[in-house]
Amino acid sequence: MVRVGFAGEFVPRAIIRSQFLDGSVHEQSASVSGDHQSTCPKLSAMVKFFRNIFNSYLLTMPRERRVVIVESLLTPTHLRDMICEIAEGVTILSCWEVSNIGARKLENRVRELLKVHGRVEKWNEICEIKDEDWNLIEEANIIEDICVRFVFCCPLERGQAIQAQGAEHGLPSVKSVRVPLGADFLLIPGFVREAACEVIFEQNGDDICLPKMIHSIVGRCPLDLRKRMFESILVTGGPSLIPGFLHRLKAELAEAAKGSLSKLKQCESIRFYRFPDQCTEVYLPWLGGSLFGALQDAVQMRSISRETWIEDRSIPDWTDYVRHGIPCGKPELER
């Protein structure tokens, strides 16, 4: 999902999909490495994507304004070099972690669970999900709909039982739901609804789980700040709005601290920033870019003009600022 708007505003003008027209902004390349297909950016799709943003949502000309793009620190260089004009305000953090756990991982877990436990209710029978049913599910974005409407985070004890015993945990069952699927119905068992979010808290996966990641980050902070860090946690992104998520995360953080007396004292008061009556967690990173874009002097000093980009064909990233303290590492360019 992409958030777009004008600098200085507190709410984006639109939240749109990055999939449109010919498909995704990325197209699958022919090369395959291991079990993962590599992706390469498609220039024509990127051009259509930005034209769609300016012409359909912002209703302005891109040449008339500076553009602030809020992106991940780990954005691939070849994708960055496709974007001409960019203004960057970079804060380098010494305490950070990276994990693949997120909305995509959650959707993949829902797919895995549906393949085993999901069923399709037809007019005369209930059967397993077939290939043609999966085509309908993907075309209608039903997996995303399930993640938004039906999954939830269960309490710590129940979650541990699900991780240990799976569907045979022996606890009271959760109500199943039905979702329209063409002329039929997709049956989503209660176990799928409650087990999907366990991917965020699993301890034995290839990726570090969210509670351990938070403990790892806070553990690298100065001693006098660690307790304050646990008292001021800000969680962003769509999965943070899942019912029961913050309650479960708080319980997991406290559980992970039981092995150390010092960590236990640091986790005496775990608190989260919340915005009442708003879903700002979905677009908080965009809000940071909006506030930065409102600082005209800062944006002007850190902007890369189209002429400079045409000359160098290079967009500086945060490593250039770390090594040289100036855009592109060129002494003749003033900050």
Side-chain angles (χ1 to χ4, degrees):
M1 305 299 287
V2 177
R3 293 83 174 166
V4 297
F6 292 100
E9 296 182 347
F10 295 97
V11 179
R13 293 293 181 96
I15 300 178
I16 59 178
R17 288 181 173 275
S18 56
Q19 294 177 332
F20 73 105
L21 298 176
D22 298 330
S24 173
V25 172
H26 293 77
E27 65 175 355
Q28 295 293 334
S29 66
S31 61
V32 178
S33 176
D35 296 330
H36 302 281
Q37 288 186 333
S38 60
T39 59
C40 62
K42 185 178 179 182
L43 180 59
S44 61
M46 289 288 288
V47 172
K48 292 179 183 178
F49 183 59
F50 279 98
R51 283 179 177 172
N52 189 40
I53 289 176
F54 283 104
N55 297 336
S56 301
Y57 295 96
L58 300 183
L59 303 179
T60 186
M61 294 295 293
R63 294 184 180 181
E64 298 176 356
R65 298 175 179 270
R66 297 178 184 271
V67 180
V68 178
I69 298 179
V70 183
E71 60 178 9
S72 168
L73 290 175
L74 303 180
T75 298
T77 302
H78 60 268
L79 179 59
R80 172 192 298 272
D81 288 341
M82 294 177 62
I83 304 172
C84 294
E85 302 175 48
I86 182 170
E88 294 184 346
V90 181
T91 301
I92 306 303
L93 304 178
S94 59
C95 304
W96 65 294
E97 287 277 358
V98 176
S99 176
N100 289 327
I101 296 174
R104 182 175 298 179
K105 194 97 171 183
L106 178 62
E107 291 180 3
N108 290 337
R109 177 57 60 89
V110 171
R111 288 187 180 92
E112 295 172 2
L113 292 171
L114 282 178
K115 288 179 181 179
V116 178
H117 304 282
R119 295 292 183 270
V120 174
E121 179 182 347
K122 300 183 181 294
W123 69 276
N124 60 346
E125 63 175 342
I126 295 178
C127 59
E128 296 183 354
I129 304 176
K130 301 178 181 179
D131 291 340
E132 55 268 23
D133 298 322
W134 277 112
N135 292 334
L136 289 175
I137 290 173
E138 297 297 343
E139 290 175 2
N141 291 313
I142 292 179
I143 298 297
E144 181 181 350
D145 192 39
I146 293 173
C147 294
V148 173
R149 297 174 55 194
F150 301 119
V151 303
F152 62 91
C153 292
C154 53
L156 175 62
E157 295 77 12
R158 189 179 183 96
Q160 291 175 337
I162 292 174
Q163 293 182 29
Q165 304 174 27
E168 307 299 328
H169 53 68
L171 299 174
S173 60
V174 176
K175 182 179 179 181
S176 301
V177 295
R178 297 196 314 168
V179 176
L181 183 64
D184 306 318
F185 287 94
L186 175 64
L187 300 181
I188 307 171
F191 177 73
V192 175
R193 298 177 59 201
E194 65 178 351
C197 290
E198 295 305 311
V199 69
I200 302 174
F201 306 104
E202 287 176 348
Q203 305 287 338
N204 56 354
D206 295 332
D207 295 310
I208 182 173
C209 65
L210 182 59
K212 281 191 174 182
M213 184 169 63
I214 294 176
H215 272 288
S216 176
I217 294 171
V218 175
R220 293 200 294 269
C221 294
L223 284 172
D224 57 337
L225 292 180
R226 294 177 186 177
K227 186 174 182 180
R228 292 172 57 187
M229 289 292 183
F230 281 112
E231 293 176 348
S232 54
I233 299 176
L234 177 62
V235 185
T236 68
S240 65
L241 299 176
I242 294 176
F245 176 81
L246 294 183
H247 178 78
R248 174 67 181 277
L249 179 57
K250 182 177 181 179
E252 291 279 356
L253 289 172
E255 182 72 15
K258 288 183 178 180
S260 170
L261 182 60
S262 60
K263 287 185 178 180
L264 198 60
K265 292 185 67 67
Q266 295 167 9
C267 295
E268 287 178 344
S269 177
I270 301 174
R271 300 177 183 177
F272 300 95
Y273 282 110
R274 296 303 305 274
F275 299 86
D277 303 325
Q278 299 183 52
C279 295
T280 52
E281 290 85 355
V282 178
Y283 57 83
L284 273 177
W286 175 90
L287 182 57
S290 174
L291 296 177
F292 175 79
L295 305 175
Q296 296 297 327
D297 293 338
V299 173
Q300 186 172 1
M301 286 189 297
R302 294 179 181 269
S303 295
I304 303 299
S305 67
R306 178 178 177 83
E307 291 74 18
T308 302
W309 182 85
I310 292 176
E311 178 183 351
D312 299 329
R313 294 286 173 172
S314 176
I315 299 295
D317 62 11
W318 61 275
T319 57
D320 293 308
Y321 286 94
V322 172
R323 294 177 181 176
H324 309 285
I326 48 180
C328 301
K330 294 189 175 182
E332 63 271 16
L333 295 179
E334 296 182 356
R335 296 184 64 179

